[in-house]
Amino acid sequence: MNPPTIKDVAKAADVSVATVSRVLHNLAGYSNMTKQKVMRAVEELGYQPNAIARGLVNKRTQTIGVLFPDVSSSFSSDILHGIEEIAQEKGFSVIVCNTAEEGKRTMKYLQVLREKQVDGIVFTSEVLKDEYYQAIKEMRVPVILVNTMTPKYMIPYVKVDDRQAAYHATDYLIQKGHREIAMISGTLKDQIAGFPRLDGYRQALADNGIEYTESRVAYGDFVLEGSRKAMKKLLAEAPPFTALFAASDEMAIGAMSVAMEHGLKIPDDLSIIGYDDLKLARMIYPPLTTIHQPLTMMGRMASEKLITLIEEGSTQVSSSIVSHHLVERQTVRSKP
């Protein structure tokens, strides 16, 4: 037996198909009695409005696209969890795209999302290049940035103040009595998280009368293997240091493994603080002291903002700087 159609509902309620459609989409132009007749017919027939047909009426597909540079990372999955939570609640599906490092596949996936006719895009963790912006503009859909921002275009974002959070991490080490502090930074050319976190580290040193030493900074590109190389370089070439700030938990964990391979005890010989507060930070030994970014909450906020833009047309939503906090565990000790 075929499922009931909108025509069957119209026949049972003795009204036109257009009236049924108006009732189902909460549009005006019918009496309360007509609405009751239609809803009773819908219930009795077990009519389910077809998502595609619904899309034809409101010109929407109820899908949003999410672009991540690395879908497999714990960082991305925490943000995605928040995005999906709100999307499901509001009746939207999520298409996830893995753009790979340095956005190798970003343009390709923007084309895919265009073909899928998504209603909006969440763009995370990489620089919004001009070509990406142009492609999204041509799609005529709203976009929200997460863990990134662009000073060039008026696009709302959700992120932590990276410079302030890095300052907080470095200052915490200084308050614990450390003055020889090294840093494993992300990428210098990265204006989103790389440079601001390095800048926060430098400013904290300056404000505490500590001279910045370039050879105490190495670059780990926000990945485990990169941070292992960076840590080896620091241990081999940098002036001695008693504490290390790593600009991501993944890099902190890479640094810890190299330190231990070199016979250093953490935190007895070397204090380490990370950034992100991934689940891994609690699971490793010793558990990692780190800066907490509320990643799942950031995902939820981005999803809410995007769906507001989709459902309310061109209404502007504001950007949000979310607060970070420091989580003390067992990788930092006071310098005797």
Side-chain angles (χ1 to χ4, degrees):
M1 193 172 138
N2 289 329
T5 66
I6 194 166
K7 282 182 181 168
D8 297 328
V9 175
K11 194 175 173 187
D14 195 23
V15 294
S16 69
V17 168
T19 299
V20 175
S21 182
R22 280 206 298 278
V23 169
L24 294 177
H25 291 96
N26 287 321
L27 302 170
Y30 49 84
S31 68
N32 194 42
M33 199 159 95
T34 300
K35 181 179 179 176
Q36 284 174 6
K37 274 183 3 186
V38 169
M39 294 318 286
R40 196 160 47 241
V42 165
E43 204 174 313
E44 284 169 5
L45 292 167
Y47 172 67
Q48 293 282 328
N50 180 303
I52 295 166
R54 214 170 41 231
L56 292 173
V57 174
N58 61 22
K59 301 285 191 293
R60 294 210 299 263
T61 57
Q62 299 298 112
T63 53
I64 57 178
V66 185
L67 295 151
F68 282 114
D70 181 7
V71 169
S72 66
S73 75
S74 170
F75 180 91
S76 296
S77 64
D78 283 359
I79 292 176
L80 182 60
H81 183 69
I83 292 170
E84 284 198 313
E85 214 174 89
I86 297 297
Q88 293 297 322
E89 214 174 88
K90 308 257 188 183
F92 281 76
S93 301
V94 178
I95 298 172
V96 182
C97 305
N98 186 1
T99 59
E101 72 280 2
E102 292 175 13
K104 278 181 190 157
R105 298 199 286 264
T106 303
M107 285 304 286
K108 181 188 138 193
Y109 274 121
L110 284 172
Q111 184 55 39
V112 169
L113 295 177
R114 185 178 190 156
E115 286 163 12
K116 298 279 184 195
Q117 295 184 312
V118 295
D119 298 326
I121 290 172
V122 177
F123 186 94
T124 79
S125 306
E126 60 169 313
V127 176
L128 186 75
K129 294 179 184 168
D130 292 347
E131 57 177 332
Y132 306 162
Y133 176 74
Q134 287 309 324
I136 294 167
K137 199 176 163 192
E138 282 165 24
M139 288 164 75
R140 296 190 173 157
V141 296
V143 60
I144 297 283
L145 307 177
V146 182
N147 202 49
T148 181
M149 64 175 294
T150 170
K152 198 168 178 182
Y153 306 111
M154 290 289 289
I155 297 177
Y157 57 82
V158 178
K159 72 188 293 296
V160 160
D161 183 330
D162 290 278
R163 186 177 181 278
Q164 189 186 52
Y167 184 104
H168 189 173
T170 311
D171 190 63
Y172 170 78
L173 294 173
I174 296 165
Q175 300 315 314
K176 291 285 185 183
H178 297 276
R179 291 185 74 79
E180 291 84 32
I181 302 167
M183 178 179 181
I184 296 182
S185 179
T187 341
L188 187 57
K189 62 179 190 240
D190 170 11
Q191 294 297 308
I192 307 303
F195 180 73
R197 291 180 198 178
L198 177 61
D199 199 36
Y201 159 81
R202 291 182 68 158
Q203 192 62 52
L205 295 181
D207 288 357
N208 286 278
I210 301 168
E211 196 179 331
Y212 169 71
T213 308
E214 203 164 311
S215 55
R216 278 204 181 115
V217 175
Y219 298 90
D221 296 334
F222 290 115
V223 293
L224 193 77
E225 209 37 63
S227 70
R228 282 182 55 81
K229 281 183 194 155
M231 187 62 172
K232 284 173 185 169
K233 187 177 193 304
L234 287 173
L235 290 173
E237 299 170 18
F241 52 96
T242 62
L244 172 81
F245 165 44
S248 77
D249 285 353
E250 200 170 315
M251 293 198 297
I253 292 163
M256 280 170 73
S257 68
V258 170
M260 287 167 173
E261 284 163 15
H262 280 70
L264 296 171
K265 288 195 181 77
I266 293 163
D268 297 357
D269 302 322
L270 179 68
S271 289
I272 295 184
I273 186 168
Y275 190 116
D276 286 332
D277 195 20
L278 303 177
K279 289 186 186 77
L280 269 177
R282 298 191 288 278
M283 291 156 65
I284 56 160
Y285 186 80
L288 182 66
T289 294
T290 188
I291 293 288
H292 174 82
Q293 285 202 87
L295 299 173
T296 301
M297 185 185 95
M298 286 159 69
R300 281 201 295 267
M301 286 171 79
S303 206
E304 270 175 353
K305 285 177 191 290
L306 185 64
I307 291 167
T308 298
L309 286 175
I310 291 165
E311 293 184 336
E312 294 180 16
S314 61
T315 317
Q316 261 311 125
V317 299
S318 59
S319 296
S320 298
I321 292 282
V322 295
S323 58
H324 68 275
H325 63 265
L326 195 141
V327 181
E328 289 189 275
R329 292 199 182 100
Q330 293 170 32
T331 55
V332 175
R333 73 166 191 150
S334 296
K335 196 182 169 204

